[in-house]
């Protein structure tokens, strides 16, 4: 059972930056897939950014050029650097990993962007 703990969320003004962290209980290099998702009130959970074990990344169109996904295998940590934040980025952000054919989710961290 993989445990994921997100942190780094908070309240920020539009145009500001935040860096989210997701610490895994297992080595991140063992995962086939790692990603960040978000869910705003009344909306479905959506993919924000993803990284495959090869290092290939993919981003939602709404965050391209503003968000960067990365990982530090030595720290078992996945990151999401978020720059030029907009009010529409307000949501609970979750990390997800796939390992051994199973998906695991963190508990989420709230990001609120004020206008």
């Amino acid at each position: 059972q993989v445990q994921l703990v997100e942190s780094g969320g908070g309240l920020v003004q539009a145009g500001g930056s935040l860096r989210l962290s997701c610490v895994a209980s297992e080595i991140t290099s063992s995962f086939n897939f790692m990603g960040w998702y978000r869910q705003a009130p009344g909306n479905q959970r959506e993919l924000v950014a993803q990284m495959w074990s090869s290092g290939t990344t993919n981003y939602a169109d709404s965050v391209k050029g503003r968000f960067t996904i990365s990982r530090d295998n030595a720290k078992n940590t996945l990151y999401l650097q978020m720059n030029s934040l907009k009010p529409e980025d307000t949501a609970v952000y979750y990390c997800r990993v796939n390992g051994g054919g199973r998906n695991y989710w963190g508990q989420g961290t709230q990001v609120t962007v004020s206008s």
Side-chain angles (χ1 to χ4, degrees):
Q1 185 77 9
V2 176
Q3 306 293 325
L4 302 171
V5 179
E6 299 107 329
S7 62
L11 174 64
V12 64
Q13 289 188 333
S17 298
L18 286 173
R19 188 177 79 159
L20 306 184
S21 299
C22 173
V23 180
S25 59
E26 295 185 11
I27 56 173
T28 51
S29 60
S30 69
F31 300 136
N32 300 320
F33 168 94
M34 303 184 74
W36 287 97
Y37 294 72
R38 67 187 181 188
Q39 187 168 18
N43 291 354
Q44 290 186 336
R45 192 171 296 187
E46 63 177 1
L47 174 69
V48 175
Q50 57 187 354
M51 174 180 283
W52 300 94
S53 56
S54 63
T56 300
T57 59
N58 185 49
Y59 297 89
D61 287 343
S62 59
V63 306
K64 280 182 181 177
R66 300 188 298 122
F67 291 11
T68 303
I69 188 171
S70 63
R71 68 185 179 196
D72 185 336
N73 290 335
K75 296 182 178 180
N76 295 344
T77 302
L78 179 72
Y79 298 102
L80 184 69
Q81 178 65 45
M82 305 186 295
N83 299 328
S84 302
L85 283 161
K86 304 175 181 180
E88 51 263 43
D89 295 319
T90 295
V92 178
Y93 284 71
Y94 300 89
C95 67
R96 171 198 162 205
V97 304
N98 180 280
R102 296 186 62 181
N103 288 314
Y104 301 92
W105 292 87
Q107 83 288 350
T109 185
Q110 176 71 45
V111 172
T112 303
V113 184
S114 63
S115 57

